[in-house]
Amino acid sequence: MTPTTPAARLRALKPDWLNDPKVWRTEVLAGLVVALALIPEAISFSIIAGVDPAIGLFASFTMAVTISVVGGRRAMISAATGAVALVIAPVNREHGLGYLVATVILAGVFQIVLGAVGVAKLMRFVPRSVMTGFVNALAIMIFMAQVPEMHDVPWPVYPLIIGGLALMVFFPKVTRVVPAPLVSIVILTVITVAAGIAVPTVGDKGELPSSLPVPGLPDVPFTLDTLTTVAPYALAMALVGLMESLMTARLVDDITDTHSSKTRESIGQGVANIVTGFFGGMGGCAMIGQTMINVKVSGARTRVSTFLAGSFLMVLCIVFGPVVSDIPMAALVAVMVMVAVGTFDWHSVAPKTLKRMPAGEIAVMVITVIVVVSTENLAIGVVVGTVTAMVVFARRVAHLAQVTAVTDPDGTTVVYRVTGELFFASSNDLVGQFDYAGDPDRVVIDLSAAHIWDASSVAALDAIETKYEQRGKTVEITGLNTPSADLHGRLTGELTGSH
């Protein structure tokens, strides 16, 4: 029904979060929790990349704010990440900060191009078993990243972590108006400051910036030599960033039961990295841990939480720097441990599930987890897992092509009925399933229950015809569906020089 009054029409045009105070409150508080969790992570990734902590924090600010406008997946958090830091660290180490910034900008350009040519559509080839392995590996990595914060630390850290976990488990039973992670962070900070408990704090990770980033061009010579130096790193960063972002977007789609534009997300990641580069940041991509805090723990669903996460990050650093510096790392460790527990797909490893799941699917999930955890690179794990899944699928389908023969009562004709999918794996066995010497002079190969997928299958049919012709027998291929007939007609006789 179309709104009739100007006020009603204006309300209809407003997004949900402006019409509903509850949504507004959820988004604001979610943005604040994510901003607090981003600070130590951004500082840690700056250390990995070998740059000043402010550069990681600036990157998280510009990435989050920009992607909230141009991204394709609402409520997803993009910021400085460990995967990107690992890729670009050698550039900074070998060539300096100017080249790192140039790499980030060029990576953004690559991501826009890759997004425009449809690289996001490749996500449909990532099987569910890989996705499950990806999620479980991610949960393990989030937990493992907290282990150093629990090793060789003062003893009060442990009761603080346990207290933080207890608050996040039981506080939602009292009320869900305020996110439990925010309550946990505030209470643990008040306790440590008021009691003067000496434990590692956010301030120990590095100095927070005291002013906003200023835009500018990277300090490099604009020459072909610079381009050839940064291009390989930029392409690697673009691919890793897109892989992680698209996988995260798909995960959020599943959690929220909504659809997002992966092409827009790919292009948006590129735009966000270009903006980040011009502000001197170290670039980034979707942050899975912080996205889980935003979407799964805090219940955020709109772009507002993403925008506010970046905005609050700078406000917290610049205006409330001394307060934020006093937040005990134990509070943030507790939050991330809860995220890890909540992210892990426990159903996937339940004995009942494992009993019913095909062995190949379990193997793909386990291999994905092992590769991700051992390389600490989600993109490599997804690629290896997907390739493994394809091999498992090819082996399974290869045995589905069946050949049955029926000879006419008069003995002059034999009809071979081929059933199944013919492609490189299944067609290799096809040639050996015919009785070339014993068959009568006329052979009919009925493919009405089969489909030809590739040149290997056409070559196999050509080889069968050749073997019969060498014995003076005729072969007729019938029942081809339209795509199979087109492919066979185009390639038959063209694949070997001798036919």
Side-chain angles (χ1 to χ4, degrees), residues 41-58:
E41 296 261 311
I43 294 171
S44 299
F45 299 144
S46 302
I47 294 165
I48 292 171
V51 297
D52 189 88
I55 290 170
L57 290 162
F58 288 155

Side-chain angles (χ1 to χ4, degrees), residues 473-489:
K473 300 175 183 182
T474 59
V475 176
E476 181 186 354
I477 295 174
T478 64
L480 288 168
N481 58 33
T482 303
S484 298
D486 289 344
L487 184 64
H488 185 263

Side-chain angles (χ1 to χ4, degrees), residues 101-433:
V101 172
T103 301
V104 171
I105 294 169
L106 184 58
V109 173
F110 282 147
Q111 286 178 328
I112 291 173
V113 172
L114 289 167
V117 300
V119 73
K121 291 175 183 171
L122 294 175
M123 289 304 294
R124 71 181 69 174
F125 295 108
V126 178
R128 186 185 179 282
S129 51
V130 174
M131 191 71 189
T132 305
F134 167 83
V135 169
N136 290 345
L138 160 67
I140 292 167
M141 285 179 66
I142 291 173
F143 180 80
M144 286 172 61
Q146 311 316 309
V147 173
E149 304 296 339
M150 296 184 266
H151 177 66
D152 196 22
V153 290
W155 71 266
V157 167
Y158 303 109
L160 285 171
I161 292 173
I162 293 167
L165 291 170
L167 277 167
M168 284 182 282
V169 170
F170 295 110
F171 186 80
K173 298 181 190 300
V174 178
T175 178
R176 290 183 177 272
V177 172
V178 183
L182 182 59
V183 174
S184 177
I185 290 168
V186 170
I187 289 176
L188 294 189
T189 303
V190 170
I191 289 171
T192 53
V193 172
I197 302 169
V199 290
T201 63
V202 170
D204 296 332
K205 287 284 181 182
E207 194 176 338
L208 302 180
S210 56
S211 61
L212 286 168
V214 179
L217 294 172
D219 184 18
V220 293
F222 291 89
T223 61
L224 185 61
D225 186 50
T226 301
L227 183 64
T228 54
T229 300
V230 302
Y233 297 103
L235 182 59
M237 175 184 158
L239 293 171
V240 167
L242 280 184
M243 176 77 74
E244 204 153 322
S245 299
L246 293 174
M247 289 294 287
T248 308
R250 186 169 152 182
L251 182 59
V252 177
D253 286 356
D254 290 343
I255 291 169
T256 60
D257 199 23
T258 56
H259 176 71
S260 62
S261 170
K262 306 301 183 294
T263 298
R264 178 176 171 181
E265 184 60 41
S266 303
I267 295 170
Q269 287 291 329
V271 172
N273 271 309
I274 291 171
V275 171
T276 298
F278 281 122
F279 276 92
M282 58 180 272
C285 62
M287 285 198 85
I288 303 169
Q290 273 64 19
T291 298
M292 289 300 99
I293 293 174
N294 198 43
V295 175
K296 207 166 185 180
V297 178
S298 303
R301 292 293 183 269
T302 77
R303 298 177 186 276
V304 177
S305 56
T306 308
F307 178 85
L308 290 177
S311 304
F312 283 151
L313 175 65
M314 278 294 101
V315 172
L316 288 168
C317 289
I318 294 167
V319 180
F320 299 103
V323 177
V324 172
S325 294
D326 286 337
I327 294 174
M329 283 302 299
L332 297 170
V333 168
V335 171
M336 297 311 289
V337 168
M338 280 296 289
V339 169
V341 172
T343 302
F344 196 91
D345 185 351
W346 297 101
H347 176 71
S348 68
V349 295
K352 193 164 74 172
T353 307
L354 294 174
K355 275 182 192 173
R356 294 178 179 177
M357 195 71 68
E361 302 265 328
I362 296 171
V364 168
M365 181 180 74
V366 171
I367 287 168
T368 304
V369 171
I370 290 170
V371 173
V372 170
V373 173
S374 59
T375 62
E376 296 187 347
N377 190 314
L378 292 160
I380 293 174
V382 169
V383 171
V384 172
T386 303
V387 170
T388 305
M390 288 177 177
V391 171
V392 169
F393 174 75
R395 283 176 59 85
R396 191 181 302 158
V397 177
H399 303 297
L400 296 182
Q402 296 177 332
V403 179
T404 54
V406 178
T407 306
D408 277 3
D410 60 6
T412 59
T413 304
V414 62
V415 178
Y416 282 94
R417 182 172 173 80
V418 182
T419 306
E421 308 300 320
L422 299 182
F423 67 114
F424 61 89
S426 59
S427 60
N428 286 337
D429 299 329
L430 194 64
V431 180
Q433 299 193 49

